[in-house]
Amino acid sequence: GYRGEPVAQLPLEVSSLDDPAHYDGVPVRVALFWSPAGPDAPLDALVEQPVTSAAAAPLDRVALNVFEHPAPALWVAGAAGGYGLARALAYRDDDGDHRKDADEPFVGMNGPSALLYAPAGGATGPSGNAVPAGFHLVRSPVPCAPEPTPPVAARADDCGVALGDGCSHVGGMGGMGAADAACGGAGRCLTDSPGGLCVLPVGDAPGCRPASGRLAVVEGLSMGPTVAWLKACDDDSACRVGEGYRCDQWRGICLPAERLTVILGADRPSALCQPAMGGQGMSLPASDAALP
């Protein structure tokens, strides 16, 4: 059964909406399913990479071994530079051949996670960022189109905010006010991130563009989903690796490191593409009207 050395080992977490005992004796396997038709393609357009198939059970936290790089036929068709996009899905392997057949049902869908792959030489990803070669775990949903740069000069002082720094550990009895103050200027602290994460909501500093920032929609603020500046990165070295952060190569910002997630009992895949930044009531100030 030896298949050689894996080209990647991806952290995988399996959860369940059902009683875990429901899967006792059920031949559940998890594999990568690639999406040549692009983000949010229907299930019947996804293509399994059988060499990644592995037995799985509820509450597993294991490494999913990848023994081959995905062939070009699995990459997103027509993508500039070529890149691959995959989800981890679970199915019932009734005949035991370690691959999903047409009559074998899916029994689990991807959670808020995706896998981005760039071949040697890198690629231009779905949001327009340069993606270095290799496999990159990202949290979904994600932007599926390039985001315009605001038509204002970048400020080297990052508008007085320590983007990407920790903050919640200094809050203590001072609560959120002290945590936000630790970020400086109009910065806000995302306290649900490890050690806190300093960001700058666009609406709190209209017309200000931090030189080391990049736009993203963030959760964890009292105002709900918010367009904000986060610490930009090209690789992990720009992020707080020792505290569990990595460079999210889809967005090009520092975020907590991700796992591939599979939810047994879920009957539909988690969406990969997020709405445009101006959608879902996320209003932008007039001075930043050129933003999406």
Side-chain angles (χ1 to χ4, degrees):
Y2 180 67
R3 291 187 284 177
E5 293 299 311
V7 297
Q9 293 182 302
L10 307 175
L12 171 71
E13 180 173 330
V14 182
S15 61
S16 177
L17 297 179
D18 310 310
D19 181 345
H22 175 76
Y23 297 95
D24 289 349
V26 178
V28 175
R29 296 192 73 83
V30 170
L32 293 178
F33 285 77
W34 295 86
S35 186
D40 291 338
L43 282 176
D44 58 8
L46 303 182
V47 182
E48 182 184 10
Q49 187 181 13
V51 73
T52 65
S53 180
L59 310 183
D60 273 353
R61 288 173 68 95
V62 297
L64 184 69
N65 290 320
V66 182
F67 291 96
E68 295 175 1
H69 294 276
L74 298 177
W75 303 352
V76 174
Y83 70 88
L85 184 60
R87 310 164 185 261
L89 301 175
Y91 59 94
R92 199 176 67 212
D93 185 26
D94 293 325
D95 62 5
D97 67 351
H98 297 184
R99 65 178 60 222
K100 184 186 180 304
D101 298 318
D103 59 345
E104 294 174 332
F106 285 111
V107 295
M109 300 294 168
N110 66 295
S113 64
L115 179 65
L116 187 62
Y117 170 77
T124 299
S127 60
N129 293 330
V131 181
F135 297 89
H136 307 286
L137 292 174
V138 296
R139 183 172 183 81
S140 61
V142 290
C144 291
E147 297 157 2
T149 300
V152 293
R155 281 181 43 175
D157 68 350
D158 285 341
C159 307
V161 178
L163 290 178
D165 278 11
C167 44
S168 62
H169 62 283
V170 302
M173 297 301 293
M176 280 302 301
D180 289 343
C183 295
R188 298 287 298 275
C189 182
L190 295 182
T191 55
D192 58 354
S193 293
L197 183 67
C198 288
V199 305
L200 174 61
V202 168
D204 290 352
C208 194
R209 175 186 166 197
S212 66
R214 187 165 287 153
L215 286 172
V217 176
V218 298
E219 305 275 356
L221 296 176
S222 58
M223 61 191 76
T226 306
V227 181
W229 296 99
L230 277 72
K231 177 66 177 294
C233 59
D234 294 318
D235 55 52
D236 292 345
S237 65
C239 309
R240 291 152 49 203
V241 174
E243 297 177 59
Y245 287 82
R246 295 290 186 272
C247 186
D248 184 303
Q249 293 293 348
W250 193 317
R251 299 170 175 86
I253 55 178
C254 295
L255 289 176
E258 284 301 322
R259 290 178 173 269
L260 283 173
T261 51
V262 175
I263 305 172
L264 297 178
D267 59 3
R268 64 185 61 185
S270 177
L272 296 189
C273 292
Q274 70 185 21
M277 285 188 178
Q280 296 186 327
M282 293 178 280
S283 59
L284 298 169
S287 58
D288 291 319
L291 296 177

